Amino acid sequence: MSIRIDSHHHYWDPERGDYPWMPSEGPLARPYLPADHAPLNEAAGIDGTVAVQAAPTLAETRWLCEQADSARSNVVGVVGWVDLAAADVEAQIEAISHRLLVGVRPMLQDIDDIAWIKRPEVIDGLRAVQAAGLSFDVLIRTEHLEAVVEALDELPGLVAVVDHLAKPDYARVEEAWLDGMRALSAREHTFIKISGLATEVEAPWRPASFSRHTEAVLDLFGPRRSMVGTDWPVSLLAGAHAETVALLDQLTAHLTDDERSSLWAGACLRAYNIDI
């Protein structure tokens, strides 16, 4: 059986105090650490994972790398954070340097200025990311797509990984979303994550809720540039970890073995230049 890589999950500890988006109460407002994650991965047959930043601080990235180094972790890559608008991006990258660091992610969906990514200083920051051999995870919604496409046009060699299908409206396939997906898929170094699905719709959800958008990105990006991710523990808001993995398996069950192997490992390993 092929290896399975979860391309997108998080660890956090609210006591650290640098998660501005986190509610003060509820199921997410508690630590989620490798010891919590390991038995879920074992039960799901997941062999490796990519841990993604959840706070806009260098300190959280260093902490995340420490978690990835722990005995209970099967993390094969870490996507951290740097302030791309600052003049010292190279120094920031050096400050978070780690054997597992594979990319960076600004939290674009939380920045009020939709065109922020197009600022000259941010483009310079992304050039530094590319020069360091790191990827750029793109956390956005449909309204950000046009600006992201324009920014990436200035950086043809930068590897970009679009998280959560850019969080479309799953009730319909909007033309603006589809146009953005077409433009992004035309870039040979852009990948898409089929992730963060069930938390974007009201319960009850079913696989058919996501099939139109999943099929659209698979047609555009192909299995070679598409990957799957659980978005654990955010996914727990919509169901158990096993339910999220089952959803991803159901949405891709019609593909060939080789195509599923790419979705569950190959595309992720290529995008993040991970050698296992």
Side-chain angles (χ1 to χ4, degrees):
M1 182 178 178
S2 299
I3 63 170
R4 284 159 68 95
I5 305 292
D6 177 357
S7 71
H8 195 103
H9 75 89
H10 308 282
Y11 296 136
W12 62 63
D13 183 350
E15 290 297 317
R16 298 191 61 261
D18 54 358
Y19 307 98
W21 57 269
M22 187 177 292
S24 58
E25 298 180 351
L28 299 185
R30 47 148 285 197
Y32 287 94
L33 303 171
D36 306 303
H37 200 207
L40 302 177
N41 286 327
E42 184 176 357
I46 291 174
D47 305 288
T49 68
V50 175
V52 180
Q53 64 82 224
T57 65
L58 298 177
E60 196 253 2
T61 298
R62 287 191 288 264
W63 177 86
L64 193 58
C65 290
E66 291 172 3
Q67 301 308 305
D69 276 334
S70 73
R72 298 301 302 275
S73 163
N74 61 351
V75 170
V76 297
V78 171
V79 176
W81 177 92
V82 297
D83 180 359
L84 290 173
D88 64 341
V89 173
E90 294 92 343
Q92 292 180 64
I93 292 173
E94 179 62 28
I96 59 172
S97 178
H98 187 275
R99 65 184 180 86
L100 292 175
L101 185 70
V102 296
V104 299
R105 184 176 82 155
M107 303 176 82
L108 294 179
Q109 69 173 16
D110 297 330
I111 297 174
D112 290 336
D113 180 7
I114 289 178
W116 180 86
I117 191 64
K118 294 166 47 179
R119 294 181 182 181
E121 63 271 26
V122 177
I123 298 295
D124 287 343
L126 287 172
R127 287 197 180 96
V129 169
Q130 180 180 341
L134 301 175
S135 69
F136 165 41
D137 258 51
V138 187
L139 176 64
I140 56 171
R141 300 185 184 277
T142 299
E143 58 265 30
H144 300 92
L145 281 167
E146 184 176 352
V148 166
V149 169
E150 291 179 14
L152 290 178
D153 282 346
E154 297 193 42
L155 300 155
L158 177 65
V159 176
V161 184
V162 181
D163 295 345
H164 312 328
L165 278 69
K167 297 192 173 183
D169 178 356
Y170 287 106
R172 60 190 64 82
V173 179
E174 294 181 304
E175 199 61 33
W177 177 81
L178 194 55
D179 286 345
M181 292 295 105
R182 289 191 187 107
L184 288 171
S185 67
R187 298 183 73 255
E188 64 174 315
H189 298 302
T190 298
F191 294 72
I192 191 84
K193 283 185 184 179
I194 300 172
S195 58
L197 304 176
T199 51
E200 291 297 310
V201 301
E202 293 185 5
W205 54 266
R206 52 196 177 94
S209 304
F210 315 104
S211 57
R212 292 177 298 173
H213 293 80
T214 299
E215 286 303 305
V217 298
L218 285 173
D219 286 344
L220 289 168
F221 290 85
R224 184 171 175 79
R225 290 191 290 138
S226 303
M227 64 190 80
V228 292
T230 64
D231 199 26
W232 181 89
V234 179
S235 60
L236 298 178
L237 295 175
H241 187 264
E243 292 178 277
T244 298
V245 174
L247 171 62
L248 296 172
D249 281 333
Q250 288 173 291
L251 288 171
T252 58
H254 62 288
L255 300 175
T256 67
D257 288 347
D258 285 347
E259 288 171 335
R260 286 197 300 273
S261 178
S262 185
L263 280 161
W264 270 107
C268 177
L269 299 178
R270 284 189 292 274
Y272 292 120
N273 194 28
I274 297 170
D275 181 10
I276 51 173

